[in-house]
Each structure stands twice: as structure tokens, then as C-alpha cells.
Amino acid sequence: MKYNSNIHHRRSIRLKGYDYSLAGLYFVTICVQNRECLFGKIVNGEMNLNEYGEIVERVWNELPQHYSNIQLGAFVVMPNHVHGIIVITDDVNDMAGVVGAGGLGGGGVFGGGFLNPPRPHPPL
């Protein structure tokens, strides 16, 4: 069943008042707009990444080079979303490139431009 806002009433599962920039392990899910299958296909039970899925995987693996206070845990690319574990540490020397200090949220590596250039849709 497709998402229908009249039937499905989504609510945030975030803890009210919790500071998500604090050190800890965070499970994240990032979905493609309109749940389009842009990252590849599952064939015989195995995910086959296309060029966009490979970009997502590469960008994920490069996150620690951009944010000095993170480590990466398990990660998987699915046809229309990704799941991953980000470990935010508190061993930072300055606030530049720090998750929770304006990082990873508004655009950044996953946002404006890098994964969102004008493009034709890959064949499905």
C-alpha cells in the first residue's frame, strides 16, 4: 500500500528534548523522495547497485573524512533507501566539520547538489 496521509498518521519517534548531537550510536534511515527506486535492483535476493547506489555507498564511506567526530557502523543500500549506524564521538578539536554543529542536516554531503544533480532516471 502506498503512503496516504489521510490513512497513515506519521509521528516523530524522536525523544522530546533529547540533544541528538550528543555522543552515541544513531541508527539512520534516509529515503529517496517519493520512494523511487534510484539506487539499483534486488536480483536473486542480492542488491545490485547502479551508479547512484555506488555514489551513495561512496559518500557514506567518506563521511568520516568530512566530519571529525563520527565513526561508521553497519550500512546497507536498498533500492529506494539506505540504513546505517553513525557513531558520534566526543573527541573533537574544533567545531568545523562536526556532526551536530550544523553538519549532516541541511544539505551537506547527502543534500544539495552532490546526489541531486539534474539527471535522467536510470532504467529500472
Side-chain angles (χ1 to χ4, degrees):
M1 171 185 275
K2 282 192 156 204
Y3 176 74
N4 179 334
S5 61
N6 295 323
I7 298 171
H8 304 103
H9 303 285
R10 296 203 180 224
R11 61 178 176 75
S12 176
I13 59 171
R14 290 179 174 234
L15 295 174
K16 288 185 183 351
Y18 184 77
D19 181 355
Y20 283 92
S21 68
L22 295 174
L25 282 78
Y26 295 90
F27 179 80
V28 296
T29 298
I30 303 170
C31 298
V32 174
Q33 183 176 358
N34 300 321
R35 297 192 173 119
E36 289 185 71
C37 293
L38 298 180
F39 300 147
K41 295 184 202 177
I42 296 178
V43 178
N44 296 324
E46 195 170 307
M47 180 62 191
N48 292 316
L49 300 177
N50 62 20
E51 64 179 308
Y52 301 118
E54 290 173 358
I55 290 171
V56 169
E57 186 173 66
R58 186 181 77 233
V59 169
W60 175 268
N61 289 324
E62 291 175 355
L63 284 173
Q65 297 169 32
H66 299 279
Y67 300 99
S68 59
N69 69 325
I70 69 166
Q71 298 170 359
L72 301 177
F75 176 72
V76 63
V77 179
M78 299 302 291
N80 64 359
H81 65 284
V82 299
H83 295 293
I85 297 174
I86 295 178
V87 182
I88 300 179
T89 64
D90 54 6
D91 59 341
V92 288
N93 298 325
D94 61 60
M95 295 305 283
V98 173
V99 170
L104 255 192
V109 186
F110 276 109
F114 191 73
L115 286 179
N116 295 319
R119 67 195 184 289
H121 288 286
L124 299 177

